[in-house]
Amino acid sequence: MELIRGLHNWRGGHRGCALTIGNFDGVHRGHQAMLARLREKAAALGVPATLMTFEPTPQEFFAGAAAPARLSNLREKCTALAAEGIDRLLCVRFEAGFAALSPQAFVDALLFDKLGVRYVLVGDDFRFGHDRGGDFSLLAAAGHLLGFEVDAMPTVTVDGDRVSSTRVREALAAHDLALARRLLGRDYAVCGRVRNGERLGRTLGFPTVNIALKRRVSPVNGIYVVRVHGAGPKLRYGAASVGTRPTVEGKNKLLEVYLYDFDGDLYGLHLQVEFLHWLRDEEKFADLDTLRTQIARDVEQGREWLASNV
């Protein structure tokens, strides 16, 4: 998959594509169904299957810290989209000038003149342009005049649940990892590079790998049982904490993972951490001895859950 960072890097040779547009946060089963349709149409037209997404997301641009939790950062999204067979990912910087584009300019100047779209697939609730003034009807009418096809993807449901990024966030916030798994088609995961920490876990007898979350708001919080890819040739399991470490007055939210039966140096490696089972909320303890006792209990409960479920 070719990643094109910014409209200024979209060259004349890129023109002509089957396009879909959106945040695609989490690349859930609804997104996967849409991308399958896009690939099919792109193959029929003989053009690249292309996805246009935004950094920051429009919600982050307008709402800042009040924006919804991010299911996937850009690197995680790229990995998931590449696995779905997308040919090109156009990542557009969402800023004031872009937000001010009128719906007509969005279609004429961007989709038609610059991208040279042959086909556009959007969700049935798609809105675009300044103040979200454009909708599917406007896009379809423009496509009819300009000579490109426009199609709408109906809502996808799983076991009666409407599949959406919002619904995945709600499931994760409620610690319903089974529902999140059904909506995503896989276990929810966070990826990141192992970085140096304060070595508090080692002091407590439970050395952890520390991974920056790379998002303003985390959709998962608390103590979990996890599966880890990238820590050597085989899968690893462990207990993980997502939080600010209130016992030691921590400020920044961090993912810390204690790997079972592992002794090695993982600094600099890129790991994927899959969340399998929620154990408890993060707590502030009176002292480090009390925290150490609770960590030991978490580790044991995690082993017990794994013995029965994996």
Side-chain angles (χ1 to χ4, degrees), residues 89-171:
L89 175 61
L90 171 61
C91 183
V92 175
R93 179 167 178 77
F94 198 91
E95 41 75 35
F98 188 86
L101 277 178
S102 70
Q104 201 63 51
F106 184 94
V107 174
D108 293 345
L110 179 57
L111 299 188
F112 184 69
D113 291 341
K114 191 168 185 67
L115 273 59
V117 294
R118 299 276 304 280
Y119 171 82
V120 180
L121 176 65
V122 294
D124 52 12
D125 58 351
F126 178 68
R127 309 286 299 197
F128 64 96
H130 181 62
D131 284 342
R132 293 168 52 85
D135 59 10
F136 176 79
S137 296
L138 188 155
L139 184 61
H144 180 73
L145 288 174
L146 296 171
F148 61 86
E149 185 181 350
V150 179
D151 201 2
M153 184 76 186
T155 295
V156 173
T157 61
V158 173
D159 301 330
D161 252 313
R162 180 180 185 272
V163 183
S164 69
S165 300
T166 297
R167 191 70 186 96
V168 175
R169 291 186 197 101
E170 291 171 350

Side-chain angles (χ1 to χ4, degrees), residues 1-6 10 19-20 22-24 49-54 74-75 77-79 81-82 86-92:
M1 182 184 75
E2 181 183 8
L3 172 61
I4 302 170
R5 297 291 297 265
W10 182 272
L19 179 74
T20 189
N23 292 328
F24 283 76
T50 303
L51 188 151
M52 180 164 67
T53 193
F54 310 102
L74 180 59
R75 178 166 182 163
K77 188 187 298 187
C78 286
T79 300
L81 291 172
I86 293 303
D87 297 311
R88 289 180 182 150
L89 175 61
L90 171 61
C91 183
V92 175

Side-chain angles (χ1 to χ4, degrees), residues 167-168 170-183 278:
R167 191 70 186 96
V168 175
E170 291 171 350
L172 293 174
H175 314 307
D176 191 344
L177 297 180
L179 175 57
R181 185 180 305 116
R182 291 199 300 274
L183 298 172
W278 182 79

Side-chain angles (χ1 to χ4, degrees), residues 9-285:
N9 286 317
W10 182 272
R11 308 302 185 191
H14 289 125
R15 292 187 81 255
C17 62
L19 179 74
T20 189
I21 308 165
N23 292 328
F24 283 76
D25 192 21
V27 192
H28 54 60
R29 290 174 69 176
H31 294 144
Q32 292 160 30
M34 176 176 276
L35 296 174
R37 181 181 290 191
L38 183 72
R39 289 197 311 272
E40 181 180 350
K41 191 67 178 183
L45 293 172
V47 295
T50 303
L51 188 151
M52 180 164 67
T53 193
F54 310 102
E55 289 289 338
T57 67
Q59 295 97 322
E60 289 170 342
F61 176 78
F62 288 113
R70 189 83 172 259
L71 295 174
S72 50
N73 61 34
L74 180 59
R75 178 166 182 163
E76 292 161 349
K77 188 187 298 187
C78 286
T79 300
L81 291 172
E84 294 298 322
I86 293 303
D87 297 311
R88 289 180 182 150
L89 175 61
L90 171 61
C91 183
V92 175
R93 179 167 178 77
F94 198 91
E95 41 75 35
F98 188 86
L101 277 178
S102 70
Q104 201 63 51
F106 184 94
V107 174
D108 293 345
L110 179 57
L111 299 188
F112 184 69
D113 291 341
K114 191 168 185 67
L115 273 59
V117 294
R118 299 276 304 280
Y119 171 82
V120 180
L121 176 65
V122 294
D124 52 12
D125 58 351
F126 178 68
R127 309 286 299 197
F128 64 96
H130 181 62
D131 284 342
R132 293 168 52 85
D135 59 10
F136 176 79
S137 296
L138 188 155
L139 184 61
H144 180 73
L145 288 174
L146 296 171
F148 61 86
E149 185 181 350
V150 179
D151 201 2
M153 184 76 186
T155 295
V156 173
T157 61
V158 173
D159 301 330
D161 252 313
R162 180 180 185 272
V163 183
S164 69
S165 300
T166 297
R167 191 70 186 96
V168 175
R169 291 186 197 101
E170 291 171 350
L172 293 174
H175 314 307
D176 191 344
L177 297 180
L179 175 57
R181 185 180 305 116
R182 291 199 300 274
L183 298 172
L184 290 165
R186 63 189 184 280
D187 289 302
Y188 179 69
V190 167
C191 300
R193 197 168 301 281
V194 178
R195 67 181 199 178
N196 287 313
E198 298 175 4
R199 297 185 179 272
L200 176 63
R202 189 172 299 277
T203 300
L204 296 172
F206 297 94
T208 61
V209 293
N210 303 311
I211 299 172
L213 291 167
K214 297 287 186 179
R215 61 204 80 203
R216 295 183 184 184
V217 183
S218 171
V220 288
N221 296 279
I223 314 302
Y224 295 84
V225 182
V226 297
R227 177 169 52 225
V228 178
H229 301 255
K234 67 176 185 178
L235 289 176
R236 295 281 178 180
Y237 294 87
S241 168
V242 180
T244 59
R245 301 171 298 155
T247 303
V248 294
E249 306 297 334
K251 301 298 182 186
N252 298 320
K253 191 158 288 188
L254 187 69
L255 168 59
E256 299 177 287
V257 184
Y258 170 72
L259 294 172
Y260 294 144
D261 308 314
F262 178 83
D263 182 19
D265 182 0
L266 298 175
Y267 289 116
L269 293 183
H270 195 267
L271 305 183
Q272 180 184 55
V273 181
E274 297 175 334
F275 294 80
L276 305 181
H277 177 67
W278 182 79
L279 292 171
R280 64 175 178 87
D281 282 319
E282 186 180 41
E283 298 178 53
K284 181 174 183 176
F285 296 97

